[in-house]
Each structure stands twice: as C-alpha cells, then as structure tokens.
Amino acid sequence: NAGVTQTPKFQVLKTGQSMTLQCAQDMNHNSMYWYRQDPGMGLRLIYYSASEGTTDKGEVPNGYNVSRLNKREFSLRLESAAPSQTSVYFCASTVTASTDTQYFGPGTRLTVL
Amino acid sequence: KNEVEQSPQNLTAQEGEFITINCSYSVGISALHWLQQHPGGGIVSLFMLSSGKKKHGRLIATINIQEKHSSLHITASHPRDSAVYICAVRLKPWGTDKLIFGTGTRLQVFP
C-alpha cells in the first residue's frame, strides 16, 4: 500500500495563479483532511471530508476550495494564490470520523511569489 | 493563549538520556494524540490516548484528564529520535473530526 500520496511535492506560483493539490489514499478510509503548516504555528485544518460526498470547513478555509472526487481522492484548489498561502500542505486520512489514527501524506511545499 | 501548549519548544540531549516532553490543554477533549515529524517533513502518529498510559518500544505516553496534561517520554534516547514531536487534541464530543495541534517540540539527540 502506498498509504497517502500527494502531488506535487513542490510548487512555486505567482500571485493570482491557480492550482490544485492532489491527494489520494489507498487504505479505504472514509475521512480525509487538508492541513497547512506554517513556521511557529501548529498544523491548522483547512477543510475536511467526513465521508464521500461531504466536505466541511476547518479553521482556515478562506481562499481554498475542495473536492472529494471519490472515496480515494480529495483535492485542494487555490483559485487565486496569495503570498499568505505560502506554506506546507498536508493531506491526511482516517478510517472513520471517530477513529483514532490519522495517516499523513508527505506534504506539498508551496511558495507564492 | 493557544488551546494546546507544549514545553519545551526545543530540547537537546545526549544519547541514552531519558526525555520528557509536556503538553497542556485548556479545552474539554475526547482524545489526545502524539505525532512525530521527521526532519524530512513526514508526519507519523505515535499514540492516541483518552486515559492512562500507553507504551510502544522506548516511547511512553501518559495523560491526566483532571490536570489537562499529557507527557511523552523517551527512554534510552538515540540520535534517530531527533524529530519534532507534536501534541494534538480531539475536541469533545467524541466523533468530532477536528484536531487542534500544538506547535511542537524540536528534539535533537547527539551521539
């Protein structure tokens, strides 16, 4: 099993450009999450999907949209990138909403100039 | 004030030393997680606790619900334990998906 995979690993954007971060898991997990990690701050939840077909906002959803394409895939879209969105983005998954362990992807390092 | 506070922020140790990392929280929780972030950036879940104590190899995690405090101990530390250790809490009610994360404790173990 590959676990949780993310693409791309690195990306540089100019202000105003758009892009989609891809996440996929092969563990048949129901719940998936997008976090961002900034220096000196803990991981912060952007959006999550408790199950296929549902998505909910987390702490910092502004400037982002998500799509739960199917049970395996959960994508994060930046419609008009801003320098404040420079961060490391992690996708994670868990079996169900009440399950204990979250499995993380390797992260995407995004720089917005 | 952050809802999850970790101490210390940075920790250095000599190989073989006993390590303690602390996590305090100010909200009602249903569970507490300890995670390890490797120097390369990958994040791995170590423990989930709702009461008592758990042990896995040289790692021990404890939680005191009344005191709103958890500790992660590493016995006989090794340079490969060098990483950032992150505490996260799952808010009540049980089943809430959202975790609140601490800012992490950076541990360096020297040979």
Side-chain angles (χ1 to χ4, degrees):
Chain A
N1 286 354
V4 181
T5 56
Q6 290 183 236
T7 54
K9 286 189 167 49
F10 301 93
Q11 184 70 50
V12 179
L13 293 177
K14 294 181 180 176
T15 297
Q17 287 185 317
S18 62
M19 79 161 295
T20 300
L21 281 65
Q22 306 285 354
C23 174
Q25 51 87 12
D26 62 2
M27 297 175 283
N28 202 34
H29 287 177
N30 290 300
S31 300
M32 298 184 73
Y33 313 79
W34 276 106
Y35 296 99
R36 60 178 289 173
Q37 186 178 42
D38 301 296
M41 304 185 75
L43 286 153
R44 291 181 293 168
L45 182 65
I46 305 171
Y47 271 93
Y48 70 103
S49 171
S51 61
E52 186 179 354
T54 68
T55 60
D56 284 288
K57 294 178 180 179
E59 288 178 75
V60 288
N62 291 346
Y64 306 95
N65 285 301
V66 290
S67 296
R68 183 74 183 267
L69 304 167
N70 47 54
K71 193 171 185 180
R72 289 187 65 247
E73 298 172 289
F74 188 38
S75 62
L76 179 72
R77 182 158 177 85
L78 287 71
E79 290 290 352
S80 179
S84 61
Q85 294 177 304
T86 294
S87 189
V88 181
Y89 291 84
F90 287 95
C91 178
S93 70
T94 188
V95 175
T96 68
S98 59
T99 296
D100 49 3
T101 301
Q102 292 208 343
Y103 294 83
F104 286 82
T108 295
R109 186 173 294 274
L110 174 67
T111 301
V112 183
L113 302 174
Chain B
K1 187 182 188 302
N2 293 337
E3 290 163 302
V4 179
E5 299 271 2
Q6 288 186 237
S7 63
Q9 286 187 319
N10 295 284
L11 186 54
T12 57
Q14 289 294 126
E15 184 172 355
E17 286 185 4
F18 182 83
I19 305 292
T20 296
I21 298 169
N22 297 299
C23 176
S24 297
Y25 52 92
S26 58
V27 293
I29 70 168
S30 58
L32 182 143
H33 297 247
W34 283 102
L35 307 122
Q36 180 191 55
Q37 185 166 25
H38 300 294
I43 300 173
V44 175
S45 290
L46 297 175
F47 295 104
M48 191 280 292
L49 295 160
S50 53
S51 65
K53 176 178 170 178
K54 286 192 176 179
K55 184 176 190 290
H56 185 258
R58 294 179 295 103
L59 300 178
I60 303 166
T62 64
I63 188 168
N64 184 320
I65 296 292
Q66 286 73 30
E67 297 288 324
K68 293 191 170 145
H69 182 268
S70 175
S71 293
L72 177 68
H73 305 287
I74 305 174
T75 61
S77 59
H78 190 276
R80 65 174 174 267
D81 297 325
S82 298
V84 176
Y85 292 85
I86 301 169
C87 171
V89 299
R90 185 184 298 279
L91 300 181
K92 283 185 174 180
W94 179 257
T96 301
D97 251 356
K98 302 175 187 178
L99 294 178
I100 299 177
F101 294 80
T103 54
T105 294
R106 184 175 301 276
L107 171 65
Q108 288 186 292
V109 182
F110 294 98

